[in-house]
Amino acid sequence: KHEFERAVNAVCFTPRGLCCIGTENGIVTFWDTKTKSRTNKYELKKGGAQALCVSPNGDLLAVGNEKGEVILFKSETFFESTSKPGPYSTFRPVGGYEQAVSCLSFSPDEQILASGDVYYFLILRDVATGLIVAQYEHSASILCVAFNKSGDLIAAGDSDNNLIIRSSPLKT
């Protein structure tokens, strides 16, 4: 058991077994489950960490904050307490709306990052460039998002009790 200063909003595991924890006060902690110790941490510049997602091969961690940003980290910064983790890339809010990112999912080939927010938008971005490749509006806050194993479908659930399954704009 490990206690944090504020609420734990998001958690995920890397393929190497590292646990990533995002808290309400914007601290992202990297926890080694074997040694039961913190390997590193990063404090977001804006807002709490609302959503976390590790890429399928474990190379990237995406963090969504309550200000609508998605921040990417490279995995080598997770493990060494001597290195200060820093963002690899930051995707700004769409249309200037600073609405909390509620969920994240990488496509199986790691080319696309999907983010859902409380302002009803599902946004798909090219991971390499940050450019939006597709944007969909729901009737309510997006609560969860996932790609299927082949990456040709994406599903999103919202707070109006809807699940919408779409073709992925970039077939993987």
Side-chain angles (χ1 to χ4, degrees):
K1 179 179 175 180
H2 183 74
E3 292 186 20
F4 291 86
E5 291 177 20
R6 300 294 290 273
V8 173
N9 290 341
V11 64
C12 65
F13 282 96
T14 69
R16 290 176 50 188
L18 188 70
C19 186
C20 304
I21 304 109
T23 62
E24 182 180 59
N25 60 342
I27 305 292
V28 178
T29 301
F30 306 101
W31 187 264
D32 187 327
T33 57
K34 292 180 181 137
T35 64
K36 297 184 174 144
S37 63
R38 186 184 80 201
T39 62
N40 218 332
K41 76 174 185 175
Y42 180 78
E43 187 170 349
L44 299 177
K45 307 246 183 292
K46 293 188 212 175
Q50 299 297 113
L52 299 174
C53 183
V54 173
S55 61
N57 72 7
D59 286 344
L60 295 171
L61 169 71
V63 179
N65 71 15
E66 64 188 21
K67 299 294 184 183
E69 294 176 328
V70 176
I71 303 106
L72 295 181
F73 295 88
K74 289 191 174 182
S75 66
E76 61 262 16
T77 63
F78 302 172
F79 294 96
E80 298 176 23
S81 58
T82 56
S83 71
K84 180 158 177 60
Y88 163 66
S89 185
T90 300
F91 302 152
R92 303 285 176 217
V94 173
Y97 298 111
E98 291 189 355
Q99 299 296 327
V101 173
S102 52
C103 54
L104 296 162
S105 182
F106 281 97
S107 63
D109 66 1
E110 302 182 4
Q111 292 182 15
I112 302 293
L113 177 64
S115 63
D117 65 34
V118 298
Y119 201 65
Y120 312 167
F121 286 104
L122 174 63
I123 299 161
L124 280 60
R125 295 183 193 256
D126 181 293
V127 171
T129 66
L131 295 175
I132 296 171
V133 296
Q135 180 175 318
Y136 307 101
E137 188 170 3
H138 279 233
S139 60
S141 298
I142 307 220
L143 303 176
C144 54
V145 62
F147 285 90
N148 69 339
K149 186 177 178 178
S150 64
D152 60 339
L153 296 174
I154 186 165
D158 65 35
S159 60
D160 265 354
N161 307 329
N162 296 309
L163 173 70
I164 299 174
I165 300 173
R166 298 177 170 90
S167 293
S168 175
L170 295 180
K171 307 283 190 258
T172 57

